[in-house]
Amino acid sequence: MDDYSSGRMPGIPLFTVSGLSQGTHTITIGVTGTKNPASANDIVALDYATVP
């Protein structure tokens, strides 16, 4: 997935999921080291996560 943006876009959902059963779930975020050619780096920053 390429989530490149030329500027910060806080609050914009990149990933959503619904219909999960109750219980513990795990989200894994991995940085591959590859990047969009327009990007200066391969940094990933988590803005926020919500659980309804």
Side-chain angles (χ1 to χ4, degrees):
M1 175 187 303
D2 182 355
D3 67 344
Y4 171 75
S5 174
S6 61
R8 286 197 75 229
M9 297 174 54
I12 303 299
L14 178 62
F15 175 80
T16 60
V17 64
S18 61
L20 295 175
S21 61
Q22 287 194 342
T24 302
H25 301 278
T26 303
I27 297 173
T28 303
I29 300 170
V31 181
T32 64
T34 59
K35 64 180 184 66
N36 184 297
S39 180
N41 56 52
D42 61 358
I43 295 171
V44 174
L46 180 63
D47 187 23
Y48 72 94
T50 59
V51 178

Coordinates of all heavy atoms in Angstrom, one line a residue:
M1 N 0.9 -1.2 0.0 CA 0.0 0.0 0.0 C 0.9 1.2 0.0 O 1.8 1.3 0.8 CB -0.9 0.0 1.3 CG -1.7 1.2 1.4 SD -2.6 1.4 3.0 CE -3.6 -0.1 2.9
D2 N 0.6 2.2 -0.8 CA 1.3 3.4 -0.9 C 0.5 4.5 -0.3 O -0.5 4.9 -0.8 CB 1.7 3.8 -2.4 CG 2.5 5.0 -2.5 OD1 2.8 5.7 -1.5 OD2 2.9 5.3 -3.6
D3 N 0.9 5.0 0.9 CA 0.2 6.1 1.6 C 0.9 7.4 1.5 O 0.7 8.3 2.3 CB -0.1 5.7 3.0 CG 1.1 5.7 3.9 OD1 2.3 5.6 3.3 OD2 1.0 5.7 5.1
Y4 N 1.6 7.6 0.4 CA 2.3 8.8 0.2 C 1.4 10.0 0.1 O 0.3 10.0 -0.5 CB 3.2 8.8 -1.1 CG 3.8 10.1 -1.4 CD1 4.8 10.7 -0.7 CD2 3.2 10.9 -2.4 CE1 5.4 11.9 -1.0 CE2 3.7 12.2 -2.8 CZ 4.8 12.7 -2.0 OH 5.3 13.9 -2.3
S5 N 1.8 11.1 0.7 CA 1.1 12.4 0.6 C 2.2 13.5 0.6 O 3.2 13.4 1.3 CB 0.1 12.6 1.7 OG -0.4 13.9 1.7
S6 N 1.9 14.6 -0.2 CA 2.9 15.7 -0.2 C 2.9 16.5 1.1 O 3.8 17.3 1.3 CB 2.6 16.6 -1.4 OG 1.4 17.1 -1.3
G7 N 1.9 16.3 1.9 CA 1.8 17.0 3.2 C 1.1 16.2 4.2 O 0.5 15.2 3.9
R8 N 1.2 16.6 5.5 CA 0.5 15.8 6.5 C -1.0 16.0 6.3 O -1.5 17.0 5.9 CB 0.8 16.4 7.9 CG 2.2 16.0 8.4 CD 2.4 16.2 9.9 NE 1.7 15.1 10.6 CZ 0.9 15.3 11.6 NH1 0.6 16.5 12.1 NH2 0.3 14.3 12.2
M9 N -1.8 14.9 6.6 CA -3.2 14.9 6.4 C -3.8 14.2 7.7 O -4.3 13.1 7.6 CB -3.6 14.1 5.1 CG -3.1 14.8 3.9 SD -3.4 13.9 2.4 CE -5.1 13.7 2.4
P10 N -3.7 14.8 8.8 CA -4.2 14.2 10.1 C -5.7 13.9 10.0 O -6.4 14.7 9.4 CB -3.8 15.2 11.2 CG -3.5 16.4 10.5 CD -3.2 16.1 9.1
G11 N -6.1 12.8 10.5 CA -7.5 12.4 10.6 C -8.0 11.7 9.4 O -9.2 11.4 9.4
I12 N -7.2 11.5 8.4 CA -7.7 10.8 7.2 C -7.5 9.3 7.4 O -6.4 8.9 7.5 CB -6.9 11.3 5.9 CG1 -7.0 12.8 5.8 CG2 -7.4 10.6 4.7 CD1 -8.4 13.3 5.6
P13 N -8.6 8.5 7.3 CA -8.4 7.1 7.5 C -7.6 6.4 6.4 O -7.9 6.7 5.2 CB -9.9 6.6 7.5 CG -10.7 7.7 7.8 CD -10.0 8.9 7.2
L14 N -6.7 5.6 6.7 CA -5.9 4.9 5.8 C -6.4 3.4 5.7 O -6.4 2.8 4.7 CB -4.4 4.9 6.1 CG -3.5 4.1 5.3 CD1 -3.5 4.7 3.8 CD2 -2.1 4.1 5.8
F15 N -6.9 3.0 6.8 CA -7.4 1.6 6.9 C -8.6 1.5 7.9 O -8.6 2.1 8.9 CB -6.3 0.7 7.5 CG -6.7 -0.7 7.8 CD1 -6.7 -1.6 6.7 CD2 -7.0 -1.1 9.0 CE1 -7.1 -2.9 7.0 CE2 -7.3 -2.4 9.3 CZ -7.4 -3.4 8.3
T16 N -9.7 0.9 7.5 CA -10.8 0.6 8.4 C -11.2 -0.8 8.2 O -11.0 -1.4 7.2 CB -12.0 1.6 8.0 OG1 -12.4 1.3 6.7 CG2 -11.6 3.0 8.2
V17 N -11.8 -1.3 9.3 CA -12.4 -2.7 9.2 C -13.6 -2.7 10.1 O -13.8 -2.0 11.1 CB -11.3 -3.7 9.7 CG1 -11.0 -3.5 11.2 CG2 -11.8 -5.1 9.5
S18 N -14.6 -3.5 9.7 CA -15.8 -3.6 10.5 C -16.2 -5.1 10.5 O -15.7 -5.9 9.7 CB -16.9 -2.7 9.9 OG -17.2 -3.2 8.6
G19 N -17.2 -5.4 11.4 CA -17.7 -6.8 11.4 C -16.8 -7.8 12.2 O -17.0 -9.0 12.1
L20 N -15.8 -7.3 13.0 CA -15.0 -8.2 13.7 C -15.8 -8.7 14.9 O -16.6 -8.0 15.5 CB -13.7 -7.5 14.2 CG -12.8 -7.0 13.2 CD1 -11.6 -6.3 13.8 CD2 -12.2 -8.2 12.4
S21 N -15.5 -9.9 15.3 CA -16.1 -10.5 16.5 C -15.5 -9.8 17.7 O -14.4 -9.3 17.7 CB -15.9 -12.0 16.6 OG -14.5 -12.3 16.6
Q22 N -16.2 -9.9 18.9 CA -15.6 -9.3 20.1 C -14.4 -10.1 20.5 O -14.3 -11.3 20.2 CB -16.6 -9.4 21.2 CG -17.7 -8.3 21.1 CD -18.5 -8.1 22.3 OE1 -18.5 -9.0 23.2 NE2 -19.2 -7.0 22.4
G23 N -13.4 -9.5 21.1 CA -12.2 -10.2 21.5 C -11.0 -9.3 21.1 O -11.1 -8.2 20.7
T24 N -9.8 -9.9 21.3 CA -8.6 -9.3 21.0 C -8.2 -9.4 19.6 O -8.3 -10.5 19.0 CB -7.5 -9.9 21.9 OG1 -7.8 -9.7 23.3 CG2 -6.1 -9.2 21.7
H25 N -7.8 -8.4 19.0 CA -7.3 -8.4 17.6 C -6.0 -7.6 17.5 O -5.7 -6.8 18.3 CB -8.3 -7.7 16.6 CG -9.7 -8.4 16.7 ND1 -10.0 -9.5 16.0 CD2 -10.8 -8.1 17.4 CE1 -11.2 -9.9 16.2 NE2 -11.7 -9.0 17.1
T26 N -5.2 -8.0 16.5 CA -3.9 -7.3 16.4 C -3.7 -6.7 15.0 O -4.1 -7.3 14.0 CB -2.7 -8.4 16.5 OG1 -2.9 -9.0 17.8 CG2 -1.4 -7.8 16.4
I27 N -3.2 -5.5 15.0 CA -2.9 -4.8 13.8 C -1.3 -4.7 13.7 O -0.7 -4.2 14.7 CB -3.5 -3.4 13.7 CG1 -5.0 -3.4 13.8 CG2 -3.0 -2.6 12.5 CD1 -5.7 -2.1 13.9
T28 N -0.8 -5.1 12.6 CA 0.7 -5.0 12.5 C 1.0 -4.0 11.3 O 0.4 -4.1 10.2 CB 1.3 -6.4 12.1 OG1 0.9 -7.3 13.2 CG2 2.8 -6.3 12.0
I29 N 1.9 -3.1 11.6 CA 2.3 -2.1 10.6 C 3.8 -2.4 10.4 O 4.6 -2.4 11.3 CB 2.1 -0.7 11.1 CG1 0.7 -0.4 11.4 CG2 2.7 0.3 10.1 CD1 0.4 0.9 12.1
G30 N 4.1 -2.6 9.1 CA 5.5 -2.9 8.8 C 6.0 -1.9 7.8 O 5.3 -1.5 6.8
V31 N 7.3 -1.4 8.0 CA 7.9 -0.5 7.0 C 8.8 -1.4 6.1 O 9.7 -2.0 6.6 CB 8.7 0.6 7.8 CG1 9.3 1.5 6.8 CG2 7.8 1.3 8.7
T32 N 8.6 -1.4 4.8 CA 9.3 -2.2 3.9 C 10.6 -1.6 3.5 O 11.5 -2.3 3.0 CB 8.5 -2.5 2.6 OG1 8.3 -1.2 2.0 CG2 7.2 -3.1 3.0
G33 N 10.8 -0.3 3.7 CA 12.0 0.4 3.2 C 11.9 0.9 1.8 O 12.8 1.5 1.3
T34 N 10.8 0.6 1.1 CA 10.6 1.1 -0.2 C 9.7 2.4 -0.1 O 9.1 2.6 1.0 CB 9.8 0.1 -1.1 OG1 8.6 -0.2 -0.6 CG2 10.7 -1.2 -1.3
K35 N 9.7 3.2 -1.1 CA 9.0 4.5 -1.0 C 8.5 4.9 -2.3 O 9.1 4.5 -3.4 CB 9.8 5.5 -0.3 CG 11.1 5.9 -1.1 CD 11.9 7.0 -0.3 CE 13.0 7.5 -1.1 NZ 12.7 8.2 -2.3
N36 N 7.5 5.8 -2.3 CA 7.1 6.5 -3.5 C 8.2 7.3 -4.0 O 8.9 8.0 -3.2 CB 5.9 7.3 -3.1 CG 5.2 8.0 -4.3 OD1 5.9 8.8 -5.0 ND2 4.0 7.7 -4.6
P37 N 8.5 7.4 -5.3 CA 9.6 8.2 -5.9 C 9.5 9.6 -5.5 O 10.5 10.3 -5.4 CB 9.4 8.0 -7.4 CG 8.7 6.7 -7.6 CD 7.8 6.6 -6.4
A38 N 8.3 10.2 -5.2 CA 8.2 11.6 -4.9 C 8.5 11.8 -3.4 O 8.6 13.0 -2.9 CB 6.7 12.0 -5.1
S39 N 8.6 10.8 -2.6 CA 8.9 10.9 -1.2 C 10.4 11.0 -0.9 O 11.2 10.5 -1.6 CB 8.3 9.6 -0.4 OG 8.6 9.7 0.9
A40 N 10.7 11.7 0.2 CA 12.1 11.9 0.6 C 12.6 10.8 1.6 O 13.7 10.7 1.8 CB 12.3 13.3 1.3
N41 N 11.6 10.1 2.2 CA 12.0 9.0 3.1 C 11.0 8.0 3.2 O 10.0 8.0 2.5 CB 12.3 9.7 4.5 CG 11.0 10.4 5.0 OD1 10.0 9.9 5.0 ND2 11.2 11.7 5.4
D42 N 11.2 7.0 4.1 CA 10.3 5.9 4.2 C 9.7 5.8 5.6 O 9.6 4.7 6.2 CB 10.9 4.5 3.8 CG 12.2 4.2 4.6 OD1 12.5 5.0 5.5 OD2 12.7 3.1 4.3
I43 N 9.5 6.9 6.3 CA 9.0 6.9 7.6 C 7.5 6.7 7.7 O 6.7 7.3 6.8 CB 9.3 8.3 8.3 CG1 10.8 8.5 8.4 CG2 8.6 8.5 9.6 CD1 11.3 9.8 8.8
V44 N 7.0 5.9 8.6 CA 5.6 5.8 8.8 C 5.3 6.3 10.3 O 5.9 5.9 11.2 CB 5.2 4.3 8.7 CG1 3.7 4.1 9.1 CG2 5.5 3.8 7.3
A45 N 4.2 7.1 10.4 CA 3.8 7.6 11.7 C 2.4 7.4 11.9 O 1.6 7.6 11.0 CB 4.1 9.2 11.7
L46 N 2.0 6.8 13.0 CA 0.6 6.5 13.4 C 0.0 7.8 14.0 O 0.5 8.2 15.1 CB 0.5 5.3 14.3 CG -0.8 4.9 14.7 CD1 -1.7 4.5 13.5 CD2 -0.8 3.8 15.8
D47 N -1.0 8.3 13.4 CA -1.7 9.5 13.9 C -2.6 9.2 15.1 O -2.5 9.8 16.1 CB -2.4 10.2 12.8 CG -3.0 11.6 13.1 OD1 -2.5 12.2 14.0 OD2 -3.9 12.0 12.4
Y48 N -3.4 8.2 14.8 CA -4.4 7.8 15.9 C -5.0 6.5 15.5 O -5.0 6.1 14.3 CB -5.4 8.8 16.2 CG -6.4 9.0 15.2 CD1 -7.7 8.3 15.2 CD2 -6.2 9.9 14.1 CE1 -8.6 8.5 14.3 CE2 -7.2 10.0 13.1 CZ -8.4 9.3 13.2 OH -9.3 9.5 12.2
A49 N -5.6 5.8 16.5 CA -6.4 4.6 16.2 C -7.6 4.7 17.1 O -7.6 5.2 18.2 CB -5.6 3.4 16.6
T50 N -8.8 4.3 16.6 CA -10.0 4.3 17.4 C -10.6 2.9 17.4 O -10.5 2.2 16.5 CB -11.0 5.3 16.9 OG1 -11.4 5.0 15.5 CG2 -10.5 6.7 16.9
V51 N -11.3 2.7 18.5 CA -12.1 1.4 18.7 C -13.4 1.8 19.2 O -13.6 2.4 20.3 CB -11.4 0.5 19.7 CG1 -12.2 -0.8 19.9 CG2 -10.0 0.1 19.3
P52 N -14.5 1.6 18.4 CA -15.8 2.0 18.8 C -16.3 1.2 20.0 O -15.9 0.2 20.3 CB -16.7 1.8 17.6 CG -15.9 1.1 16.6 CD -14.5 1.0 17.1

